[in-house]
Amino acid sequence: LPPPEDQTASQRLTAQTCFKCHESHYKSWQKTYHRSMTREATPENVKADFNDAVYHYQGVTSRMIRKGDRFFLDTIDPVWAAQMTERGLPLDSATAPRRELSVDRLVGSHWFQQLMHRDEQGRYVRLPMVYHIVEQRWIHANGAFLGPTRPFYGYSAIWNETCLYCHNTRPVKNPQTLPGQPLGYNTEVGELGISCEACHGAGERHVRAHRNP
């Protein structure tokens, strides 16, 4: 029978499921940057220099540090920075409170590696520092995106709203709205990165048929 038009409720499949019958395709895909487009911030996935690296931009000094198997950006507090920007004041005109923001997820594995911080509402917020993998140096997000120069936190997009749909497989945003609380998320993906179902569509029927023809 032809598949139903809406297959969003079908079981999500990972590349490991496809490997059994499509080994050569799987091995080829393993070598691509699609596979590693989105990753958790683990030591094996982080390509950036977190050995107490320091970067200065727009009057702000940021430090990239590692603690065991976790990574952090020590920089100015984003709420304070937004207040200063709203008042039209430069960030180096006053002593800034600082925050140590955890790096919890990564986007990009070829040219740039972007850093995502997971907040209390389940939002993955893009941090202002970006690692240039090819040139092996830190840059600000202003240097990674084509557009007018923005404030220090001007490129702080929400992964659950933007990066989610193109750089992952079978995503479901799952916004969570609670009275008196900021918008939160319980986002799910079939697989981080661009995997088989991102291009070939839902594969549950295909797998079921060929496992038991």
Side-chain angles (χ1 to χ4, degrees), residues 33-50:
Y33 293 109
H34 280 164
R35 176 187 62 84
S36 52
M37 178 57 69
T38 307
R39 282 289 176 264
E40 304 293 10
T42 61
E44 59 267 29
N45 294 328
V46 172
K47 298 179 180 293
D49 175 15
F50 277 89

Side-chain angles (χ1 to χ4, degrees), residues 23-105:
E23 183 175 350
S24 64
H25 294 83
Y26 177 90
K27 289 181 177 179
S28 176
W29 166 78
Q30 277 278 324
K31 299 176 183 178
T32 71
Y33 293 109
H34 280 164
R35 176 187 62 84
S36 52
M37 178 57 69
T38 307
R39 282 289 176 264
E40 304 293 10
T42 61
E44 59 267 29
N45 294 328
V46 172
K47 298 179 180 293
D49 175 15
F50 277 89
N51 188 25
D52 286 328
V54 178
Y55 191 80
H56 307 280
Y57 186 77
Q58 290 187 354
V60 177
T61 298
S62 301
R63 291 178 61 240
M64 283 57 75
I65 55 180
R66 177 174 176 173
K67 298 179 180 180
D69 288 343
R70 299 204 65 197
F71 302 87
F72 299 86
L73 171 64
D74 182 331
T75 190
I76 61 171
D77 181 76
V79 175
W80 180 87
Q83 293 170 348
M84 293 291 283
T85 300
E86 187 176 340
R87 294 164 60 188
L89 299 174
L91 299 179
D92 57 357
S93 63
T95 302
R98 299 186 68 83
R99 284 279 306 279
E100 193 173 88
L101 300 164
S102 62
V103 178
D104 302 298
R105 188 161 286 175

